[in-house]
Each structure stands twice: as C-alpha cells, then as structure tokens.
Amino acid sequence: SVGDEIDLVIMKTDDQDGVLKLSKKLVDAQKGWDDIVAAKENDEILEGTVTQIIRGGVLVTTKGTRVFVPASLSGVPRNQELDSIKGQTVRFKIIDINPARRRAVGSIKVVADAERKEKQDAVWATLEVGKKMTGTVKSLTSYGAFVDLGGADGLLHISEMSWGRIENPKKFLKVGQTLHVLIKDIKETKIALSLKFERDNPWKDAASKYSVGKVVTGKVARMTNFGAFIELDTGVDALLHVSQIAREHIEKPSDVLNIGDEITAMVVDFKEESKKISLSIKQLLIAEEKNKEDAEEVSE
C-alpha cells in the first residue's frame, strides 16, 4: 500500500533520467534463502506449496525459494503419481544445501514419518487389553482385516469378526468402514482385535438353553461324512452324528439332508468348556414313540 516501507535492492541506475530500477523479489529471495539455511542448521520444519512436478521429484516453494524434494522423499507411495500432491501445502525439512549453487534438497517424508510416530506413541500410551475403541478398516486379506485405531494398526482375525462363521472377510467388511472393536491382546507391536463382545456371546445362556434332554430346532450349516453340523444360533453349532440322524442306517448325511434344511432334534450331550453339543433325531423319535405308548396305556 502507499506509504508502506519495504526493503529493496538497486538493479540499475539511470543517471540521465534519475530513475533507479529496484527489486523486492531479490531481497525476499535472499531472505528466504537465509531462512532455509537457518532451518537446516536448526533442524526446523518449514511449510511450502508444491508448485511443480519435475523429473525425479517435485519443487516446493517456500519463502520465495524453490526446494527440490526427490520422489522417494515426497511421501507419495510408489503406486501413486506425484501429481496427487501438486498445489498442496506440505511440511518438510531441509536435508541438504549447496550454498555455491543456492540449491536445497528437502524431505516431506521425514516430517510425515516423525508425526506419524508421535501419533502412534500417543495412541499406544492409551492401549490396554479389554479396551473398546473405534477404528477404520485399512485393508482386507483372506485371514482378516487391518484396522487403523488412529495411529496404530490392529489385526481383526477372521475368527474374531463374528460369533458366527465368516467365510470371506471381503464379503463381511469394506475398506474405509468404521468399526467399534475390542482389544483382545497386545504383544510387543502387535494388536489383536475382536468384534465378539461378551454381551452378545451366544454361549452365555447355552447351559440352560441346550441342556441334555432339551428338544431344539436348527438349520444344517455344513456336512461331513461322519455327520452334519446344525446351527442352533449365531455362533452355536451342534453335531448331529450320522448314526443319530434316523432310526435306520444312514450311509452319509447328504443322503437324507441338505444345507439349509431345518431339523428338530434332542440334545444328548453338552460340554460347555469345549463348546460342544451333540444332537440326536434318533433319540427324539424313540422318546416320542415311548411317550405315545405311555399315553395310550394311560388312556386304556
């Protein structure tokens, strides 16, 4: 604005007209360079804008001076284009200076890594087994999902995704999905997570619901040559042995049963500790026949 006092450098004099050619840009550039040199000496963090993509990296403009940042130090993953950060304001450190050529090399990655480490340390300080946390699904594999807890990653194994049976994590969860998880275990730098909260544990009242002698109904979930596994509730499967499917001899379960069939059977064995339940249609039929005979005798 008119009246502002500024620093300038004389570029050219013109004695004939008495006019001086001045530059503020050169003064700013010199001051910017001095600031960059000082930042290198003091290990300071600078802010600048990614103004250009060049061969081998990017140019970041700060304090009127351009700093070269190699692609390997840009913080951009190898599978992404450097264009993804063009125009962005970034934080970086000066890692090398050539005073003779007035060139500086910077690193965005070293600052990002330090900030990530600081964030991780802060999160790790709050972690403890049994704590419930909110996280975001970061990636999915055939055996589970990696969940970002806000600076620390935890593994949600496929066996901990539900009290029920999960065949494929990619069909159950999506990258970017928000989850409320339970920290099941912490070993050094590894965090084991779970979605199996005790309040939803289907085995909580199993001892009374599936006690020996109880008649229950369920669906055929899967079959083997020795029997069929019947889903009584989400996460509660029981074995119906091939010898207990009918009163007559059955060669294999698939001869008389199909996946999804609903069956009614009697609980003939219950082991809470090992979470094993055995069913029998055969014993149920025998019991029903006996009850019918007893009822006929009473009526006579």
Side-chain angles (χ1 to χ4, degrees):
S1 301
V2 174
D4 282 356
E5 189 173 285
I6 58 176
D7 292 326
L8 303 160
V9 63
I10 298 174
M11 302 278 292
K12 183 180 179 183
T13 60
D14 189 333
D15 295 334
Q16 185 176 349
D17 297 328
V19 177
L20 302 176
K21 184 178 180 181
L22 309 174
S23 173
K24 180 177 181 296
K25 185 177 180 180
L26 284 179
V27 174
D28 290 343
Q30 180 58 50
K31 185 177 183 304
W33 176 255
D34 292 342
D35 289 343
I36 283 176
V37 173
K40 170 68 170 66
E41 293 174 351
N42 299 321
D43 196 33
E44 293 177 10
I45 295 175
L46 297 172
E47 278 195 0
T49 303
V50 179
T51 53
Q52 192 175 347
I53 310 299
I54 63 173
R55 184 178 179 181
V58 301
L59 292 179
V60 179
T61 300
T62 181
K63 301 179 182 295
T65 303
R66 294 189 301 179
V67 176
F68 173 64
V69 177
S72 61
L73 299 178
S74 67
V76 178
R78 290 184 178 181
N79 60 344
Q80 288 186 24
E81 296 293 331
L82 291 174
D83 284 332
S84 62
I85 60 171
K86 187 175 181 180
Q88 288 187 9
T89 298
V90 295
R91 288 160 58 81
F92 64 99
K93 281 187 177 183
I94 303 299
I95 60 171
D96 190 44
I97 282 180
N98 186 328
R101 304 180 69 181
R102 290 172 68 92
R103 290 187 179 179
V105 178
S107 173
I108 299 171
K109 185 176 182 296
V110 71
V111 175
D113 288 349
E115 290 176 343
R116 189 179 302 111
K117 177 68 166 54
E118 185 178 347
K119 194 174 182 181
Q120 284 178 343
D121 290 344
V123 172
W124 273 93
T126 68
L127 298 181
E128 56 183 27
V129 175
K131 185 174 182 178
K132 298 172 185 176
M133 298 190 72
T134 299
T136 305
V137 178
K138 192 174 182 180
S139 62
L140 293 165
T141 68
S142 59
Y143 57 85
F146 287 95
V147 180
D148 181 3
L149 300 175
D153 291 347
L155 173 63
L156 176 62
H157 194 269
I158 186 171
S159 63
E160 293 295 329
M161 289 184 177
S162 171
W163 287 106
R165 191 178 181 84
I166 301 296
E167 298 290 344
N168 186 348
K170 295 180 181 179
K171 292 183 179 179
F172 185 69
L173 298 173
K174 293 180 180 179
V175 173
Q177 184 176 342
T178 299
L179 298 177
H180 299 291
V181 295
L182 176 72
I183 297 179
K184 186 180 180 183
D185 193 21
I186 300 175
K187 287 183 179 177
E188 297 180 354
T189 60
K190 295 181 179 179
I191 307 169
L193 305 175
S194 178
L195 287 176
K196 294 161 72 171
F197 293 95
E198 190 56 34
R199 66 174 182 269
D200 305 319
N201 188 348
W203 285 88
K204 188 167 52 178
D205 303 318
S208 58
K209 290 171 66 176
Y210 309 117
S211 57
V212 174
K214 283 282 185 73
V215 176
V216 296
T217 300
K219 288 186 177 181
V220 178
R222 58 192 190 280
M223 287 187 282
T224 67
N225 288 333
F226 61 83
F229 287 93
I230 312 301
E231 184 180 51
L232 301 178
D233 195 356
T234 301
V236 179
D237 287 354
L239 174 63
L240 175 62
H241 194 270
V242 64
S243 64
Q244 299 300 314
I245 293 176
R247 299 186 71 170
E248 63 274 14
H249 175 74
I250 301 295
E251 190 66 33
K252 56 183 186 295
S254 57
D255 289 340
V256 294
L257 296 174
N258 296 298
I259 300 295
D261 283 354
E262 186 172 273
I263 65 103
T264 300
M266 178 183 289
V267 177
V268 292
D269 192 23
F270 177 85
K271 292 184 173 65
E272 186 170 16
E273 189 174 332
S274 57
K275 293 183 172 55
K276 289 182 179 179
I277 302 173
S278 296
L279 304 178
S280 175
I281 295 177
K282 181 179 178 179
Q283 290 302 318
L284 176 61
L285 294 174
I286 292 173
E288 288 178 343
E289 186 175 314
K290 186 176 186 305
N291 290 339
K292 184 178 179 182
E293 291 175 352
D294 291 346
E296 288 176 350
E297 288 180 6
V298 171
S299 62
E300 289 176 357

